Amino acid sequence: LRLELESSKIHGVSFKKTNLRGAHSHVWLNQGKLRCETEALACILQDGSLRTRAYQKRVLKIRADEKCRLCGAAAETVGHILNVCPKSLLQGIKDRHDEVARVVYSAVTQNHQIEDTAYRCKPRPVVKGNGIKLLWDCLIPTRDHIVHRRPDMVIFDNKRKIVSIVDIAVCWETDLAHKRAFDEKVLRYEQLRIDVVRQLHGWKVRS
């Protein structure tokens, strides 16, 4: 079935993306925790085969105009709607970001056996346990004046003397989008990382 999907011009797109981690990228399909309708919609979105204006023009050949019906600034593709269109991102992108961040928070706290909580709960600003301190959405005190000092999470591992600055980026599934998001996040918090290094002598600080 996988080989058959990979050979498909449209439905093999998600399997050919070089930035996906093989089987790990399809765990959500194997676990069977979603409704059939939700799985189908997610696969359609991954393949970029939703009946957007761009899809209707480029694939179905049934319309001449592919401009986004919301902003009119670019072709109406799935990637544009979910990650670029200023009209659709007013609230949607923040909701998506917060949902993913809560999942990561839950995974970190459970992995370090700090607390066992459902990802939909409201994370606590400070959580401690087993040599770990996790700060959630907190302003980090700094020596110098730094604009960007409120990442999604900061994890202090007292046993290994490691600080991890974590800020979530929810971007489209392309190598270029991933690289751009990664570079932007690293650059945004580089001053904070340097400041924390100065404060915690002997600790490794990574972002």
Side-chain angles (χ1 to χ4, degrees):
L1 178 60
R2 181 184 176 88
L3 293 176
E4 184 178 343
L5 286 172
E6 287 180 347
S7 63
S8 172
K9 182 178 180 180
I10 297 176
H11 303 296
V13 171
S14 62
F15 290 98
K16 298 172 184 175
K17 292 174 180 174
T18 58
N19 53 19
L20 299 184
R21 295 181 56 196
H24 295 288
S25 297
H26 302 96
V27 169
W28 61 277
L29 275 174
N30 297 329
Q31 290 179 339
K33 295 181 179 180
L34 301 177
R35 293 184 304 171
C36 295
E37 297 86 350
T38 305
E39 283 190 3
L41 178 58
C43 289
I44 289 172
L45 291 171
Q46 269 196 334
D47 292 337
S49 54
L50 191 70
R51 284 177 63 95
T52 60
R53 286 187 171 183
Y55 184 82
Q56 292 176 44
K57 178 183 179 181
R58 301 173 188 178
V59 180
L60 301 181
K61 313 293 185 184
I62 60 175
R63 70 176 301 124
D65 178 26
E66 64 176 16
K67 293 292 185 181
C68 175
R69 69 196 76 184
L70 292 177
C71 69
E76 187 185 88
T77 63
V78 174
H80 170 78
I81 295 171
L82 294 180
N83 294 272
V84 180
C85 179
K87 298 291 186 179
S88 66
L89 297 184
L90 293 177
Q91 184 60 35
I93 192 169
K94 184 180 186 306
D95 292 341
R96 212 160 58 235
H97 168 276
D98 292 348
E99 190 78 4
V100 173
R102 283 193 291 270
V103 173
V104 176
Y105 170 91
S106 178
V108 171
T109 55
Q110 292 184 46
N111 183 56
H112 292 287
Q113 299 181 339
I114 303 174
E115 62 180 13
D116 186 5
T117 180
Y119 76 90
R120 291 190 181 276
C121 77
K122 184 177 180 179
R124 292 186 288 167
V126 182
V127 180
K128 297 179 181 179
N130 294 326
I132 299 293
K133 181 172 76 171
L134 188 155
L135 305 182
W136 167 268
D137 194 26
C138 294
L139 278 173
I140 308 303
T142 58
R143 294 180 177 180
D144 300 326
H145 174 70
I146 295 176
V147 177
H148 303 296
R149 57 190 184 97
R150 192 169 191 163
D152 292 323
M153 285 176 280
V154 178
I155 306 168
F156 296 85
D157 187 333
N158 292 291
K159 296 178 181 178
R160 298 190 297 162
K161 302 296 182 184
I162 296 177
V163 179
S164 300
I165 300 172
V166 181
D167 203 68
I168 305 298
V170 182
C171 56
W172 193 235
E173 297 174 335
T174 64
D175 290 332
L176 180 60
H178 281 198
K179 185 179 186 306
R180 182 185 295 121
F182 177 81
D183 291 344
E184 287 177 354
K185 294 294 185 180
V186 170
L187 181 61
R188 175 184 292 263
Y189 292 104
E190 180 60 15
Q191 285 186 307
L192 177 62
R193 187 192 70 81
I194 294 173
D195 194 281
V196 175
V197 168
R198 292 171 180 169
Q199 294 184 57
L200 300 177
H201 299 292
W203 284 58
K204 180 180 179 181
V205 183
R206 59 192 184 187
S207 58

